[in-house]
Amino acid sequence: MQSGVEVGMTLNYVIDSSCSKHKDLPAIGMAMEQPLTYGEFHQRILALAARLRDEGVGKGDRIAILGENSHNWGMAYLATVRLGAVAVPILPDLPEADVHHILGAMRPKTLFTTQKQIEKIYELRRELTGPIITLDDHEGELAVVEVQTFSAYLQGAMEKFRAMPEPPVFAPVGEDDLASILYTSGTSGYSKAVMLSHKNLTANAYAGASLMVIKPGSVWLSILPMSHTYEFTCGFILPLLCGARVAYAGKSPTPAILQKLCEHEKPFAIFAVPLVLEKIYKKRVLPQVEKSGLLKLACRFGPSRRLIYRKIGKKLCDFFGGNLQIMGIGGAALNPEVEKFLHEARFPYLIGYGMTEASPLIAGGPFGDKTINVGSTGKPIPGVQVKIANPDPETGIGEITVCGPNIMKGYYNDPEATAAVLAADGWLSTGDLGRFDDQHNLHISGRSKNVIVLSNGENVYPEAIEHKINTHTWVVESLVVENNGQIEAWVYPDYECIDEATAGISRSERQSYIEKLLENLRLELNEQLTKSARVSRIFERREPFIKTATHKIKRYLYSGGTVML
């Protein structure tokens, strides 16, 4: 399929090898629909690549993918890198201005998109010189620019592919060649364009695959955006590497839809962000316990609590189809109380830590390791070195630095930003603070930019306080900030919960009820904090905070104690 010798650390080699080994196994498709086999998937990738090449796409050219998850998305990506071209995945939730910025900087030769996204590019139609292909077969029109449906484009490619006397031959692609440019959705400022090579991505997928036994044919239900490195590496390349089947949920599933999909697909694995598990815990687990005085009393004692939690954990596994062997949790920090429940319920979860610049996985598992402590992210993954820079002599906390084959090539067209985080010897400064425990498990304390340094020199980690606040059933999310030397918190309440509790009372009484909740929360919270770190005020926020693709609050928007209502 390639001229020259293809190295095992390219995405092309991974796909060629897996499709050859698992040719007749189901590979990829939408949930509850007939999937493509590995053989069919491979043919379509090669045919698409040949057509893109014939239309002038070559090594180093950029192709943008702006759309929701689908097997067509995966085909477009793998056809792009087959040519040595560079895929530019764009998060579908990004606003129009950000999409314009990315497309303007990347100048892609081709754009794959969907009906939901196409309005974002209308103003750019005269600047996009190549074809626009709709992954969901939307047949809309954009003046000046040619719009084609994916099905028609693929059909033309397949017709030509089948007429070829020999499989197409492409220019060789090396493991150090650029595969993708991804714009981060970070919490601390404007997005940066991360350059990832073939080896960055495949090395991370191989390492991830070693964390547990994965059988060919196992089903992986995909619910996170493929345009985020977390889902791309762990939920796309990794299962394909192992001969598993990827099933896409489609739109963001509600609990009812998710339950229906899981009942049908009976997934082996799901990758999720903490918000999914935290919502289930607060909406389904805590109410079961708190509505029964007997259960609430029993949960105060370890043995009886564990027994109750295991029964709930069994029901939770049944909710996810009854065959769930692993739920990967990453992209943001999991609330410690929720993790304690998952651990005692014997729910099959695995915490991972990473960042886009590391393709993304840095630490996690391995699955089943009894030495992994609750609250940690497990061990550094195979092949990746992690060191704590300048650790505090008392706490052992310092900046997490990382080195390995998964570390990015740098930020696109930004040598200053690259030099600020990537040393000449390949060590990446993550900007995260953490420590190792005695079992060499990595514990994350928070972002170095988020740490609040009090006048007495004490470091306060706002994330730890937020976790305590967020355990309350009537709290959706919170943000802790420093304002003129004092710690303050903003809370976005669960208004469904508030409405239920205040039904039939006046508006002013309802507001008084909320204010009392906030004050009682502050008093309870401060009992758990050191005197200097206590929260002086807690305010009500009446709309959700602006967040990243993995549901982390974009803190830089709320710095300096200013939280916009």
Side-chain angles (χ1 to χ4, degrees), residues 465 468-469 487 518-538:
I465 300 176
K468 295 178 186 298
I469 296 172
I487 308 290
L518 294 172
E519 179 58 16
N520 287 340
L521 170 60
R522 188 185 71 84
L523 295 173
E524 179 185 329
L525 182 66
N526 284 342
E527 289 180 0
Q528 305 170 53
L529 301 172
T530 63
K531 186 176 181 180
S532 56
R534 287 174 183 169
V535 175
S536 62
R537 290 183 295 179
I538 298 182

Side-chain angles (χ1 to χ4, degrees), residues 492-542:
Y492 174 56
D494 183 337
Y495 286 110
E496 286 186 9
C497 190
I498 300 292
D499 290 343
E500 186 177 332
T502 59
I505 66 175
S506 69
R507 184 174 179 179
S508 61
E509 288 174 321
R510 182 178 186 272
Q511 189 58 41
S512 295
Y513 174 83
I514 294 173
E515 290 172 1
K516 187 175 180 181
L517 276 179
L518 294 172
E519 179 58 16
N520 287 340
L521 170 60
R522 188 185 71 84
L523 295 173
E524 179 185 329
L525 182 66
N526 284 342
E527 289 180 0
Q528 305 170 53
L529 301 172
T530 63
K531 186 176 181 180
S532 56
R534 287 174 183 169
V535 175
S536 62
R537 290 183 295 179
I538 298 182
F539 302 96
E540 175 192 3
R541 180 175 169 82
R542 291 172 185 163

Side-chain angles (χ1 to χ4, degrees), residues 266-459:
K266 301 192 182 308
F268 166 88
I270 300 174
F271 282 91
V273 292
L275 184 65
V276 173
L277 275 302
E278 288 167 2
K279 276 187 175 180
I280 290 172
Y281 176 73
K282 290 168 74 170
K283 294 289 187 180
R284 294 185 174 230
V285 176
L286 281 184
Q288 284 188 50
V289 173
E290 292 184 351
K291 72 182 179 182
S292 167
L294 186 61
L295 282 181
K296 196 170 183 180
L297 178 64
C299 283
R300 292 180 182 176
F301 307 98
S304 55
R305 183 183 65 246
R306 285 190 288 272
L307 182 62
I308 293 165
Y309 280 2
R310 283 169 197 168
K311 289 182 178 180
I312 298 174
K314 174 64 170 60
K315 290 182 180 179
L316 193 54
C317 286
D318 290 342
F319 172 88
F320 288 110
N323 187 49
L324 191 69
Q325 301 299 306
I326 180 70
M327 175 164 281
I329 304 173
L334 178 65
N335 191 296
E337 184 172 313
V338 178
E339 188 186 355
K340 184 179 179 182
F341 158 73
L342 295 174
H343 178 74
E344 294 191 342
R346 293 183 179 175
F347 186 77
Y349 74 100
L350 188 70
I351 303 286
Y353 161 67
M355 59 192 306
T356 304
E357 289 87 340
S359 307
L361 199 56
I362 293 170
F367 190 73
D369 185 339
K370 302 298 184 184
T371 68
I372 296 176
N373 298 318
V374 171
S376 80
T377 65
K379 314 290 193 291
I381 64 169
V384 174
Q385 300 177 67
V386 178
K387 292 181 181 177
I388 305 300
N390 303 314
D392 181 276
E394 293 184 7
T395 64
I397 296 173
E399 184 175 8
I400 299 168
T401 61
V402 188
C403 187
N406 57 323
I407 302 304
M408 67 170 181
K409 295 171 75 71
Y411 296 121
Y412 175 76
N413 204 26
D414 197 343
E416 288 186 7
T418 300
V421 300
L422 191 58
D425 58 2
W427 282 87
L428 174 72
S429 298
T430 66
D432 291 321
L433 297 173
R435 63 177 178 84
F436 281 111
D437 62 24
D438 294 339
Q439 302 294 332
H440 203 60
N441 297 307
L442 182 63
H443 294 251
I444 314 300
S445 303
R447 292 288 292 171
S448 58
K449 291 181 180 178
N450 299 343
V451 175
I452 299 169
V453 181
L454 301 176
S455 57
N456 65 355
E458 181 180 349
N459 289 342

Side-chain angles (χ1 to χ4, degrees), residues 23-68:
K23 183 178 179 182
D24 296 323
L25 285 180
I28 195 167
M30 303 305 293
M32 303 181 72
E33 293 182 9
Q34 184 68 28
L36 295 173
T37 66
Y38 273 86
E40 292 168 336
F41 188 47
H42 195 230
Q43 280 194 336
R44 284 161 172 74
I45 293 166
L46 297 179
L48 278 173
R51 178 161 185 179
L52 288 168
R53 178 197 59 190
D54 293 345
E55 292 178 355
V57 176
K59 196 165 187 176
D61 289 334
R62 292 182 283 274
I63 292 181
I65 310 174
L66 170 63
E68 299 73 44

